[in-house]
């Protein structure tokens, strides 16, 4: 099918209220065709999905979210424009779709691979996005660059944030909360002039 | 979007945009807490500029956070937004623009900095309160000389101001409907975005 037809069909299916599996199948087909193809084609498909998510905002059906996640994953630059909360929804939906197939969708041999690939791609993107948020939240740009544990702490903090936003049972996850608190304490102590101790604490973490 | 307006456009075939954005990415940030107000504009972009990317955020803090990471080609701000800490009601959008232009301090409870290369990005204000009111408010907040977009004028008469203070588009005016907004406001600003060094 010519690529203009592929994109037109995807657009129509994204706008359909109940595509009954046809949208997800079309996303799989597109991913199979374009994933290792020319960058321009991947950008077009990802942009279509990215703009759809922006225009729709709030409530989006599971099939639409899963399809949009698969398409968006094909272009990292486009996906990076998405705020972390949108990436979280996509990652969660793709994780769910790997376990429970939306009604009406047939499963092709490469579909599970495409789902897993999109999930991992967006998951890594979310992690990067959360590290940037951690840099803003915990280590403002005015913070001392000499802080010895900075990079490690940012990663620890981001991982904890990642657990919090992707794990529905996070409130009971004492480890993640302790981890965030420990990093915050470490940073506060560093700011009070306990730099060398901070380094030791960072290693201990 | 009516048929007459559509017929006046130069539609780019899906996936083959040949407009000003064909060679580089064009990314728009819309800051609007009522997304339905943007439906016509977003539909026009989908139809006639399918290579453009857009993000829609509903409040100034989310926009601010987005701008700490990304540099858009154009920012479209609804002036009335959910409260910004310490900012008078009805001035939130103007204040956000002043923060982007580094004319005002970042709100006390916010963290991070808008990327420096966003300071000269074209800004369009959407307002339902009258352009004259907003013009005065922008003067007071440190963004004097904002232009007012007019459907009957050549965009070159006001588009230069978009990168300095901003351009005001009244929601009720002819220039703010979907296709007209794309043609008369957004498209003329894309080359301006390039000229201020935007690299999407």
């Amino acid at each position: 099918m010519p690529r203009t037809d592929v994109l037109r069909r995807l657009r129509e299916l994204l706008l359909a209220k109940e595509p009954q599996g046809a949208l997800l199948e079309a996303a799989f087909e597109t991913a199979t065709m374009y994933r290792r193809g020319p960058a321009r084609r991947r950008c077009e498909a990802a942009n279509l999905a990215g703009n759809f998510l922006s225009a729709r905002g709030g409530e989006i059906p599971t099939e639409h979210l899963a399809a949009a996640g698969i398409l968006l994953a094909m272009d990292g630059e486009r996906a990076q424009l998405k705020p972390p909360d949108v990436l979280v929804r996509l990652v969660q939906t793709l994780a769910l779709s790997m376990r429970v197939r939306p009604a009406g969708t047939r499963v092709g041999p490469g579909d599970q691979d495409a789902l897993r690939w999109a999930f991992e791609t967006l998951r890594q993107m979310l992690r990067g996005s959360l590290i940037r948020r951690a840099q803003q939240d915990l280590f403002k740009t005015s913070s001392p660059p000499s802080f010895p544990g900075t990079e490690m702490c940012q990663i620890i903090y981001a991982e904890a944030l990642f657990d919090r936003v992707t794990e529905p049972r996070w409130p009971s996850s004492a480890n993640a909360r302790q981890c965030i608190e420990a990093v915050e304490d470490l940073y506060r102590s560093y700011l009070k002039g306990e730099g060398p101790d901070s380094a030791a604490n960072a290693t201990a973490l | 979007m009516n048929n007459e307006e559509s017929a006046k456009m130069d539609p780019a075939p899906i996936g083959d945009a040949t407009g000003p954005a064909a060679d580089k990415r064009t990314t728009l940030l819309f800051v609007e807490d009522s997304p339905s107000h943007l439906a016509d504009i977003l539909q026009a972009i989908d139809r006639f500029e399918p290579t453009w990317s857009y993000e829609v955020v509903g409040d100034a803090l989310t926009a601010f956070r987005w701008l700490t990471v990304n540099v858009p080609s154009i920012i479209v701000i609804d002036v009335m937004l959910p409260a910004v800490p310490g900012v008078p009601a009805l001035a939130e959008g103007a204040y956000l623009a002043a923060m982007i232009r580094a004319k005002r301090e970042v709100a006390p409870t916010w963290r991070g900095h808008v990327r420096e290369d966003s300071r000269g990005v074209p800004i369009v204000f959407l307002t339902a309160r009258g352009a004259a009111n907003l013009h005065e408010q922008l003067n007071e907040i440190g963004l004097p000389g904002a232009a007012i977009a007019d459907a009957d004028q050549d965009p070159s008469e006001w588009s230069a101001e978009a990168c300095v203070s901003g351009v005001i588009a009244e929601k009720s005016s002819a220039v703010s409907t979907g296709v007209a907004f794309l043609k008369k406001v957004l498209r003329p600003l894309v080359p301006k975005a390039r000229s201020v060094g935007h690299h999407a």
Side-chain angles (χ1 to χ4, degrees):
Chain A
M1 189 187 293
R3 83 176 197 284
T4 50
D5 290 348
V6 170
L7 292 170
R8 189 170 288 119
R9 180 153 176 266
L10 275 175
R11 179 175 294 167
E12 284 169 6
L13 288 168
L14 279 167
L15 295 175
K17 252 186 186 166
E18 293 177 13
Q20 297 180 321
L23 171 57
L24 198 53
E25 284 175 28
F28 284 140
E29 282 172 28
T30 309
T32 306
M33 265 192 297
Y34 291 172
R35 219 169 84 196
R36 291 180 183 84
R40 183 178 172 132
R41 297 188 180 186
R42 283 184 275 120
C43 292
E44 288 168 348
N47 200 47
L48 185 65
N51 287 356
F52 164 78
L53 291 169
S54 300
R56 279 292 295 266
E59 290 297 310
I60 301 177
T62 305
E63 184 180 348
H64 292 69
L65 269 181
I70 291 165
L71 298 171
L72 194 63
M74 289 198 286
D75 177 19
E77 201 174 315
R78 181 65 186 88
Q80 269 176 354
L81 295 175
K82 289 290 167 204
D85 62 312
V86 176
L87 291 177
V88 167
R89 287 169 69 198
L90 294 174
V91 167
Q92 288 172 336
T93 305
L94 289 170
L96 179 69
S97 301
M98 284 193 283
R99 295 194 299 270
V100 184
R101 182 74 43 164
T105 314
R106 290 190 302 269
V107 187
D111 295 351
Q112 201 67 18
D113 282 349
L115 266 175
R116 195 170 292 116
W117 166 81
F119 170 79
E120 277 305 325
T121 303
L122 293 182
R123 188 179 170 279
Q124 287 306 317
M125 206 151 277
L126 173 61
R127 189 170 173 276
S129 181
L130 290 174
I131 287 176
R132 285 195 294 275
R133 176 178 283 189
Q135 285 170 329
Q136 289 170 14
D137 282 357
L138 187 57
F139 308 98
K140 294 191 214 178
T141 46
S142 59
S143 68
S146 57
F147 178 45
T150 297
E151 191 179 343
M152 199 180 95
C153 288
Q154 281 167 358
I155 292 170
I156 293 169
Y157 187 61
E159 295 285 10
L161 278 176
F162 183 82
D163 288 346
R164 183 170 66 183
V165 296
T166 55
E167 171 52 62
R169 291 169 300 172
W170 190 83
S172 65
S173 168
N175 283 346
R177 192 180 298 111
Q178 278 172 5
C179 182
I180 290 178
E181 284 168 4
V183 175
E184 286 171 345
D185 284 348
L186 178 65
Y187 184 62
R188 273 193 294 272
S189 70
Y190 178 80
L191 288 182
K192 284 178 191 164
E194 299 163 14
D197 289 339
S198 301
N201 287 338
T203 309
L205 270 172
Chain B
M1 178 187 319
N2 64 43
N3 291 337
E4 196 179 337
E5 273 182 321
S6 297
K8 290 178 191 168
M9 295 289 291
D10 305 318
I14 292 174
D16 273 318
T18 52
D23 54 340
K24 278 188 179 179
R25 291 192 184 207
T26 297
T27 305
L28 289 85
L29 175 64
F30 290 92
V31 192
E32 165 67 88
D33 60 333
S34 301
S36 59
H37 292 164
L38 297 175
D40 283 352
I41 295 172
L42 300 185
Q43 276 175 22
I45 294 171
D46 288 343
R47 182 165 181 195
F48 297 109
E49 294 291 356
T51 62
W52 288 12
S53 300
Y54 54 78
E55 289 298 316
V56 181
V57 299
D59 61 86
L61 175 57
T62 308
F64 175 81
R65 282 200 127 144
W66 192 90
L67 288 163
T68 62
V69 179
N70 302 292
V71 181
S73 314
I74 301 169
I75 305 171
V76 180
I77 302 176
D78 179 20
V79 179
M80 289 174 68
L81 291 170
V84 176
V87 175
L90 308 182
E92 296 89 351
Y95 195 90
L96 173 64
M99 282 192 283
I100 294 168
R101 299 274 194 245
K103 299 289 185 185
R104 278 286 188 274
E105 293 290 320
V106 172
T109 54
W110 294 5
R111 289 169 177 173
H113 298 285
V114 170
R115 285 182 52 169
E116 278 187 31
D117 31 5
S118 284
R119 284 186 190 167
V121 163
I123 294 179
V124 181
F125 297 100
L126 287 173
T127 181
R129 294 171 42 231
N133 279 344
L134 178 57
H135 192 272
E136 193 176 322
Q137 193 176 55
L138 289 168
N139 279 344
E140 288 169 9
I141 214 163
L143 297 174
I148 297 172
D150 185 332
D152 297 327
Q153 276 183 326
D154 187 315
S156 63
E157 291 180 37
W158 46 261
S159 57
E161 282 302 328
C163 304
V164 182
S165 46
V167 171
I168 301 169
E170 290 195 68
K171 285 185 177 176
S172 57
S173 72
V175 83
S176 294
T177 59
V179 173
F181 192 77
L182 171 62
K183 186 180 177 183
K184 292 275 189 177
V185 180
L186 297 179
R187 274 185 177 169
L189 291 180
V190 171
K192 298 284 174 195
R194 302 261 161 76
S195 69
V196 296
H198 161 72
H199 301 290

